[in-house]
Structures are given as structure tokens and as C-alpha cells.
């Protein structure tokens, strides 16, 4: 009996191995067949080989998932005007993104060998990119441009596999994988009748399934380009985009040039975890773009801010304040990147403080059997021998309906998230609507901050910096 089972299992293993080898061959052959039809549908191999540059202007609506003014859906819609252009022969890539609503920003990126920059068109600064990577940067544009995906597929046909057949909008599609130089494999869904790409998807550890949909094809010099695009994250619509203008095989060199008005600023310096004592017993601790404030009271410490890396920040605090427990941990608001600290505070045994309206989002984000949470409506004041600390809801602003700030009236120190900050010394951007609302609210609450600390910057801004940002915004409006 045992012998018989053994033989049977061996036979099964052998037959599985044989089928697997055959499957690979069948899959590669079938992929080639599909790719040949697709290349024809996209204007033929000669046209695609000669397709060297593509420039597209977009109008995009982004859904602010977990980043809206309210804690849940429906999410806010942020509108931008953006554009991308690529030149394969010269390994150049240029893109820009500009707010198309009340948020003031206009940024860009230029990849052009050793003349590569990050550009801030409003601040008129260009920051050199130390190690530009053409394919890495252009990849995001290639992934939303079917003709460029097909060009990639043609060049990398030896990596492609046939996944099978699937229905999209009730029509049968062939599904082929494409492996680009970087990133996870992309599954491409080609309509069996038109051989055009209608859908693609890739799987990311952090985001889950990211889906792309392409609509309304029109030919540009014999090559089909989509007129509309949608992005889905884990099945939820995240972006809707209208391709306003598509141009091909135009030189893009002039767009890689910086205007004379641009000031070159020093490359962004690495930002390791560090502790700054802002005032006696008041510490700003953080690095890599996230910071928390710690205020030493008589027999405990109050922590403010819930961004990434709270345990390491607490570690650095304990080097200088070893004997006082952290009694309270304040979460400024409900946005995804500002509530991750809730878990850390729960594990630390800290009482979590949040705006009443954000209690549910915060509770949903914490996995812990027993933790303490108290809510703040409008304001709560903590008084010690040395410090008075006020936690104040300065919302609503254009960023969030409720937003808690920490204010030390005696020292004139204010800690806030997402409403004002300096990215590099002296680099002040015109105030967007959220910053303008915030400044108004400070007046209303009689907050006189000399030093303004930020959850996203190690730099200490001043009230004069905030006034400069407001003035720059006014000047922008006058120019329009
Ligand atoms: Zn936020």
C-alpha cells in the first residue's frame, strides 16, 4: 500500500514538472502572438521604433483618500494641471504639476544628466538632483501612456508571459505581463478585437492592487493615444485624468533649460534623527521629514504629533528626560500620516489625546487591548510650575475641519502640522488657502507665536516668515 502511494506521488511530481515546462513555452509563445497583434494596432513596429519623444498635458482630479478635511468619505477632490514629456534618445524627462484650485503650488522635475533639478516655480528655486535616474523617473509616465507601454513590451518581449483571458467591460481581453527595468510586473489587458490596452494593474506591498484604466483612444500621427485615464487603489478610484494635448516626436530640449529667474539652491541635505532643545524643557525631536514636540511638565512629559517614528523619538527624549513618563500623546489630526503614532503611544502606556471628531479614525488605527484615549473639544490647558501648555483646535481650515496645535504662551512657541513650514532655510512659499485660514485662526485664538515648529520640518520658522508667506500669496493674486 505504502509503495503504491509512493509511486503515485512520484508520478504526480514528474507530470507536474513536465506540464510546468510546457506551460512556460506555451505562455511565452502566446505572449509573442498577442504582442505582434498589439504592435500592429499601435501603428506597427517601425512607427513605435521611431516614437522617440512624447509630450502630454493633463487636467487631473485626485481623490484625497485619508487626506480630506473630514475623516471619512466622500473624499475631497484636489485639482491639478500637470504635464510630462520624455525623450528616449537623449534620456531626458520633464514634468510639472500645478494646483488648479485654491492650494498654491507649482513644482517640476527635470531629468537631463548632470543638469537635473527639482524646480519650485513659485519660489523660483531649482534644487540639483545628485543622482538622477532617467528610467526610474520616466517610469511613472510610461505606465500611464499605453503607446509607451507597448514600445516597452516590444523591446522586452522576451520577459513577457501570457496570463490568460479575462473580461473587461464584458469584452474578452488577452492579459500579458510586462517587466520593466524597475518596479513590480505589470499585467496588461488588451481587447481581443481592437488589440488596444484598456486596463493594466500591478501589485504593491504597501498599496495593494493598483489599477489603471485607459479610455477614448484617438490617433496621433498614426499611433493611438488615450484621451482619458483613471487610477484605482485597492479597487477605489483615486484619480481621474483628461489628456488635453498629446504631441509626439517634438524636441523637448528647451523644456530642460532653467529660466534665468531661477535661483539654484543647495541640494537637500540628509536629515538624520536629532533632538533640538527649543526652550528649557521643550524638545523638537525627529528626522527624515517627521518631527514631534515634547514638553517637560513637573512630573511627566506631554508629547505632541503622531507621525512616523515616534518610538525612536521617545528614545531620544529619554536620554535627556529619563525619569518622567510620557503621560499624554497628542495626535494633531486624522490624516493617515499623522495617526500612525497612536499605536506607539498606546504601547507606551500614554493617554492618547485627539480632537473629538477624530476619535473613531484613531481608534480604528490602533491594535491594543487596553489603552486610554481622551478627546479635546476646542481647548485643553495643562499647567505646570515651568510651563503652561495649551492644546487648541484651530480648525476649520482648508486642510482639515479640526486640527490641534500645541501652544506655549510664555515662550511664544507653537507646534503645528501641515499648515506652515520651511523646506530649506529662507525658502518661503506663498501661503496656500490652508495657511491663510491658519493665520486667521491664530489671530482669532489670540495665539502670538514667535517660533512656529512643524511636524514636517526641523527648521524653526518665525511669525515674520508666516507674514512673508501671506504677503507672497497676495502678490500672486495681484499678478493674476
Ligand atoms: Zn494633514
Amino acid at each position: 500500500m505504502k509503495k503504491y502511494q509512493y509511486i503515485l506521488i512520484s508520478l504526480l511530481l514528474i507530470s507536474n514538472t513536465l506540464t510546468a515546462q510546457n506551460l512556460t513555452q506555451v505562455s511565452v509563445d502566446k505572449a509573442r502572438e498577442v504582442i505582434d497583434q498589439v504592435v500592429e494596432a499601435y501603428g506597427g513596429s517601425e512607427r513605435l521604433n521611431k516614437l522617440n519623444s512624447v509630450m502630454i498635458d493633463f487636467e487631473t482630479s485626485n481623490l484625497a483618500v485619508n487626506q480630506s478635511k473630514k475623516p471619512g468619505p466622500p473624499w475631497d477632490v484636489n485639482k491639478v494641471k500637470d504635464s510630462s514629456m520624455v525623450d528616449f534618445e537623449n534620456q531626458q524627462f520633464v514634468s510639472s504639476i500645478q494646483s488648479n484650485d485654491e492650494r498654491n503650488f507649482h513644482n517640476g522635475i527635470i531629468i537631463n544628466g548632470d543638469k537635473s533639478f527639482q524646480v519650485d516655480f513659485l519660489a523660483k528655486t531649482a534644487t540639483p538632483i545628485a543622482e538622477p535616474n532617467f528610467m526610474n523617473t520616466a517610469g511613472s509616465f510610461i505606465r500611464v501612456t499605453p503607446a509607451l507601454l507597448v514600445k516597452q513590451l516590444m523591446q522586452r518581449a522576451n520577459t513577457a508571459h501570457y496570463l490568460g483571458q479575462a473580461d473587461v467591460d464584458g469584452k474578452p481581453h488577452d492579459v500579458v505581463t510586462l517587466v520593466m527595468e524597475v518596479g513590480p510586473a505589470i499585467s496588461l489587458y488588451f481587447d481581443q478585437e481592437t488589440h488596444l490596452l484598456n486596463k493594466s494593474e500591478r501589485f504593491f506591498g504597501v498599496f495593494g492592487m493598483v489599477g489603471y484604466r485607459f479610455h477614448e483612444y484617438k490617433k496621433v500621427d498614426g499611433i493611438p493615444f488615450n484621451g482619458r485615464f483613471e487610477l484605482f487603489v485597492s479597487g477605489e478610484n483615486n484619480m481621474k485624468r483628461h489628456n488635453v494635448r498629446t504631441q509626439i516626436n517634438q524636441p523637448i530640449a528647451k523644456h530642460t533649460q532653467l529660466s534665468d529667474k531661477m535661483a539654484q539652491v543647495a541640494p537637500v541635505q540628509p536629515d538624520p534623527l536629532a533632538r533640538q532643545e527649543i526652550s528649557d524643557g521643550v524638545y523638537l525631536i525627529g528626522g527624515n521629514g517627521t518631527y514631534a514636540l515634547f514638553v517637560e511638565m513637573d512630573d511627566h512629559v506631554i508629547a505632541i504629533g503622531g507621525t512616523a517614528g515616534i518610538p525612536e523619538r521617545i528614545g531620544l527624549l529619554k536620554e535627556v528626560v529619563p525619569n518622567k513618563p510620557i503621560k499624554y500623546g497628542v495626535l494633531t489630526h486624522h490624516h493617515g500620516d499623522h495617526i500612525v503614532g497612536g499605536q506607539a503611544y498606546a504601547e507606551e502606556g500614554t493617554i492618547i489625546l485627539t480632537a473629538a471628531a477624530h476619535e473613531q479614525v484613531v481608534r480604528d488605527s490602533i491594535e491594543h487591548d487596553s489603552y486610554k484615549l481622551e478627546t479635546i473639544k476646542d481647548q485643553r490647558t495643562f499647567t505646570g510650575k515651568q510651563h503652561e501648555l495649551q492644546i487648541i483646535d484651530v480648525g476649520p481650515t482648508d486642510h482639515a475641519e479640526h486640527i490641534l496645535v500645541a501652544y506655549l504662551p510664555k515662550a511664544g512657541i507653537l507646534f503645528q502640522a501641515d499648515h506652515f513650514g520651511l523646506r530649506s532655510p529662507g525658502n518661503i512659499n506663498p501661503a496656500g488657502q490652508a495657511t491663510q485660514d491658519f493665520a486667521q485662526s491664530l489671530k482669532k485664538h489670540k495665539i502670538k507665536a514667535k517660533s512656529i515648529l512643524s511636524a514636517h520640518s526641523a527648521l524653526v520658522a518665525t511669525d515674520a516668515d508666516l507674514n512673508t508667506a501671506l504677503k507672497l500669496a497676495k502678490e500672486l493674486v495681484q499678478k493674476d
Side-chain angles (χ1 to χ4, degrees):
M1 190 65 186
K2 269 187 176 166
K3 203 172 183 183
Y4 172 72
Q5 272 181 342
Y6 171 77
I7 292 168
L8 185 67
I9 289 165
S10 308
L11 278 171
L12 279 170
L13 282 174
I14 291 164
S15 66
N16 270 343
T17 318
L18 280 177
T19 326
Q21 278 170 355
N22 289 343
L23 272 178
T24 308
Q25 191 62 56
V26 170
S27 159
V28 169
D29 291 348
K30 178 69 183 164
R32 296 247 164 166
E33 205 179 289
V34 173
I35 293 169
D36 286 346
Q37 293 167 329
V38 167
V39 166
E40 271 324 297
Y42 278 83
S45 56
E46 200 181 327
R47 265 210 187 86
L48 284 173
N49 277 326
K50 281 187 187 153
L51 178 63
N52 178 51
S53 80
V54 177
M55 306 163 71
I56 307 182
D57 296 326
F58 308 106
E59 277 177 16
T60 305
S61 298
N62 293 304
L63 252 77
V65 178
N66 291 330
Q67 296 286 350
S68 293
K69 285 172 212 137
K70 281 192 175 68
W75 306 113
D76 297 345
V77 178
N78 295 331
K79 292 188 173 175
V80 296
K81 276 185 186 181
D82 40 353
S83 71
S84 292
M85 50 191 93
V86 66
D87 180 327
F88 289 97
E89 214 173 277
N90 296 305
Q91 302 262 297
Q92 291 166 330
F93 176 76
V94 180
S95 75
S96 88
I97 179 163
Q98 183 175 9
S99 53
N100 201 8
D101 50 26
E102 65 291 329
R103 301 161 308 140
N104 284 334
F105 68 86
H106 187 185
N107 303 319
I109 192 160
I110 297 171
I111 301 294
N112 183 25
D114 56 6
K115 291 187 183 71
S116 298
F117 298 95
Q118 264 175 353
V119 183
D120 186 329
F121 291 99
L122 295 184
K124 297 194 175 60
T125 55
T127 310
I129 298 171
E131 286 171 25
N133 184 320
F134 171 70
M135 263 322 264
N136 247 347
T137 321
S140 58
F141 180 48
I142 294 171
R143 284 191 291 272
V144 299
T145 311
L148 294 180
L149 281 168
V150 172
K151 190 177 159 84
Q152 285 276 313
L153 193 59
M154 191 172 81
Q155 291 164 344
R156 304 174 75 83
N158 55 347
T159 71
H161 282 249
Y162 185 72
L163 280 188
Q165 188 183 302
D167 269 15
V168 178
D169 302 335
K171 286 184 181 162
H173 283 61
D174 288 314
V175 189
V176 172
T177 54
L178 164 66
V179 181
M180 282 173 48
E181 263 175 53
V182 280
I186 310 174
S187 309
L188 303 169
Y189 291 66
F190 294 103
D191 187 316
Q192 282 186 348
E193 202 182 305
T194 63
H195 306 297
L196 295 178
L197 181 73
N198 283 323
K199 174 180 162 177
S200 66
E201 59 197 15
R202 10 185 238 156
F203 189 81
F204 264 120
V206 248
F207 297 111
M209 196 65 84
V210 180
Y212 306 72
R213 291 298 306 269
F214 306 94
H215 312 278
E216 292 174 12
Y217 274 99
K218 268 189 202 129
K219 283 191 176 174
V220 178
D221 297 342
I223 301 175
F225 281 83
N226 62 305
R228 280 197 310 115
F229 166 75
E230 288 176 294
L231 182 78
F232 294 84
V233 177
S234 299
E236 240 189 299
N237 185 225
N238 210 279
M239 175 201 275
K240 283 182 201 295
R241 185 177 246 181
H242 178 52
N243 293 20
V244 182
R245 190 168 69 144
T246 303
Q247 295 168 276
I248 67 170
N249 293 335
Q250 306 280 329
I252 74 163
K254 67 169 187 250
H255 301 279
T256 65
Q257 304 303 310
L258 286 179
S259 99
D260 321 332
K261 288 180 192 135
M262 287 284 166
Q264 272 197 43
V265 296
V268 176
Q269 295 301 315
D271 176 23
L273 185 64
R275 178 183 60 231
Q276 293 181 67
E277 188 165 9
I278 303 295
S279 168
D280 240 8
V282 181
Y283 302 92
L284 183 71
I285 304 179
N288 278 321
T290 63
Y291 307 83
L293 187 74
F294 296 88
V295 180
E296 203 181 333
M297 305 301 279
D298 298 347
D299 61 357
H300 63 272
V301 172
I302 301 177
I304 304 101
T307 45
I310 291 296
E312 293 80 15
R313 282 138 188 79
I314 291 176
L316 227 57
L317 172 83
K318 290 198 169 156
E319 287 179 13
V320 285
V321 190
N323 300 322
K324 293 183 185 176
I326 298 171
K327 188 170 176 189
Y328 297 101
V330 182
L331 301 179
T332 55
H333 63 306
H334 61 290
H335 288 164
D337 57 326
H338 290 270
I339 60 169
V340 286
Q343 184 67 32
Y345 290 135
E347 282 164 18
E348 183 72 21
T350 299
I351 301 169
I352 297 166
L353 294 179
T354 161
H358 301 156
E359 178 180 354
Q360 200 51 52
V361 183
V362 170
R363 286 200 186 276
D364 290 347
S365 75
I366 296 173
E367 273 180 45
H368 198 273
D369 290 340
S370 64
Y371 63 92
K372 282 167 267 165
L373 183 147
E374 295 173 10
T375 60
I376 293 181
K377 219 172 166 283
D378 303 326
Q379 181 169 344
R380 181 160 168 183
T381 301
F382 299 88
T383 314
K385 282 194 203 96
Q386 195 184 1
H387 296 298
E388 180 185 303
L389 172 65
Q390 302 176 356
I391 306 297
I392 306 170
D393 183 352
V394 298
T397 71
D398 195 52
H399 188 77
E401 284 195 335
H402 298 275
I403 182 105
L404 299 179
V405 299
Y407 177 46
L408 293 145
K410 258 189 273 171
I413 295 170
L414 179 72
F415 175 85
Q416 54 74 44
D418 294 351
H419 284 76
F420 187 61
L422 304 176
R423 277 188 294 170
S424 53
N427 184 351
I428 301 171
N429 276 3
Q433 190 58 51
T435 307
Q436 296 178 32
D437 296 345
F438 170 70
Q440 280 293 331
S441 186
L442 294 188
K443 270 190 201 146
K444 193 183 112 192
H445 287 93
K446 301 197 166 51
I447 296 173
K448 292 196 178 75
K450 280 178 256 162
S451 310
I452 304 174
L453 312 176
S454 160
H456 291 301
S457 173
L459 299 166
V460 179
T462 64
D463 49 348
D465 294 334
L466 178 58
N467 286 332
T468 304
L470 296 170
K471 208 176 106 213
L472 289 171
K474 262 193 200 142
E475 287 169 8
L476 268 187
V477 175
Q478 281 157 4
K479 250 191 263 167
D480 292 348

